């Protein structure tokens, strides 16, 4: 039974993990018979967003504690995760990946990646263990592994209504990543670097489309384990 580490970034699309992407990944993993262990940074969120208005709120929340909402309590500090603890690592998207796991959501191409996140991505890659990332999360692999020229997707270009975050593609290219344009239900597989990515909610799509894409990503990830 493969053991997959899922790295969360809070709870809620605008300031944490995209809940539907996480749920789709967890369901696909358990359906395939994988053991799941969940982790999140034990630190304060960059900020808290009122999800009914999209406006910042005057309060603070902890990334680990918020992630426990998705993990049903079973989440550990990311500092405890090593490449020896799991056969692969998976990063759902949501703005938490761009605000709590990195600061891409604030600084764009001048981003830095959280040191613990960088350590996990680098160590799994160095150990030859596969990585899966969806939505905006592939920007983390682009930044950390840019010197290895990973092949990734952050979705497609075209209508801003369909692809509202397509500007991230150029940022990823600037880090050294090779970017493939993919549809919401498609998967990008980098065999050499053992990285699987899918657009998820980089596309303004329906819930079932995101679920189908994330499930396909999980299936490709498990083939590499």
């Amino acid at each position: 039974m493969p053991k997959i580490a899922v790295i969360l970034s809070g709870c809620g699309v605008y300031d944490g993990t995209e809940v539907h992407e996480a749920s789709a990944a967890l369901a696909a993993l358990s359906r395939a018979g994988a053991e799941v262990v969940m982790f999140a940074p034990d630190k304060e969120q960059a900020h808290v967003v009122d999800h009914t208005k999209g406006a910042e709120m005057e309060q603070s929340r902890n990334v680990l504690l918020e992630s426990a909402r998705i993990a049903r309590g079973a989440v550990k500090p990311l500092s405890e995760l090593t490449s020896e603890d799991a056969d692969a690592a998976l990063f759902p998207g949501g703005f938490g990946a761009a605000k709590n796991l990195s600061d891409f959501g604030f600084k764009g191409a001048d981003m830095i990646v959280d040191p613990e996140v960088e350590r996990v991505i680098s160590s799994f890659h160095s150990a030859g263990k596969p990585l899966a990332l969806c939505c905006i999360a592939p920007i983390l692999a682009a930044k950390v592994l840019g010197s290895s020229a990973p092949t990734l997707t952050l979705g497609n270009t075209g209508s801003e209504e369909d692809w509202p975050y397509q500007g991230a593609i150029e940022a990823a290219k600037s880090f050294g990543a090779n970017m493939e344009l993919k549809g919401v239900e498609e998967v990008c597989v980098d065999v050499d670097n053992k990285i699987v990515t899918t657009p998820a909610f980089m596309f303004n799509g329906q819930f079932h489309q995101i679920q189908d894409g994330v499930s396909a990503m999980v299936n490709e990830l498990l083939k590499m384990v």
Side-chain angles (χ1 to χ4, degrees):
M1 177 187 294
K3 179 184 287 187
I4 312 299
V6 175
I7 292 83
L8 303 174
S9 59
C11 182
V13 56
Y14 297 130
D15 57 14
T17 306
E18 212 300 316
V19 176
H20 300 282
E21 293 175 9
S23 178
L26 294 170
L29 287 168
S30 66
R31 182 175 287 113
E35 178 184 354
V36 176
V37 284
M38 285 176 265
F39 296 86
D42 186 2
K43 67 176 188 178
E44 294 302 298
Q45 291 184 185
H47 64 180
V48 178
V49 175
D50 178 344
H51 279 58
T52 67
K53 300 175 181 177
E56 187 169 352
M57 300 172 67
E58 292 297 324
Q59 59 177 264
S60 62
R61 297 187 185 183
N62 178 278
V63 178
L64 180 68
L65 298 184
E66 290 299 295
S67 297
R69 297 176 182 273
I70 295 173
R72 297 176 61 85
V75 61
K76 301 177 182 179
L78 187 60
S79 59
E80 296 182 8
L81 175 61
T82 73
S83 60
E84 297 178 355
D85 297 327
D87 299 305
L90 185 153
F91 292 78
F95 275 95
K99 293 178 178 179
N100 300 326
L101 304 187
S102 73
D103 59 6
F104 177 74
F106 303 110
K107 297 184 178 179
D110 294 324
M111 71 180 285
I112 59 172
V113 177
D114 176 273
E116 287 297 326
V117 175
E118 181 172 4
R119 176 187 62 80
V120 167
I121 292 174
S122 295
S123 63
F124 272 75
H125 183 257
S126 296
K129 294 188 174 182
L131 297 162
L133 311 96
C134 65
C135 192
I136 192 60
I139 200 72
L140 304 172
K143 179 65 175 179
V144 175
L145 304 176
S147 62
S148 297
T151 299
L152 310 166
T153 192
L154 282 164
N156 214 322
T157 58
S159 165
E160 289 283 346
E161 182 177 355
D162 290 337
W163 300 98
Y165 311 112
Q166 58 190 274
I169 295 172
E170 290 303 317
K173 288 181 180 178
S174 75
F175 301 147
N178 299 305
M179 302 305 295
E180 290 189 352
L181 299 180
K182 295 288 188 180
V184 64
E185 295 167 350
E186 295 183 300
V187 175
C188 173
V189 180
D190 182 339
V191 175
D192 293 337
N193 285 298
K194 294 187 175 181
I195 303 174
V196 187
T197 51
T198 193
F201 270 115
M202 293 297 276
F203 179 69
N204 187 21
Q206 300 296 314
F207 294 124
H208 71 277
Q209 293 177 301
I210 277 66
Q211 186 176 59
D212 290 348
V214 172
S215 295
M217 178 188 74
V218 168
N219 291 339
E220 292 296 330
L221 175 71
L222 293 175
K223 291 178 184 177
M224 293 182 172
V225 173

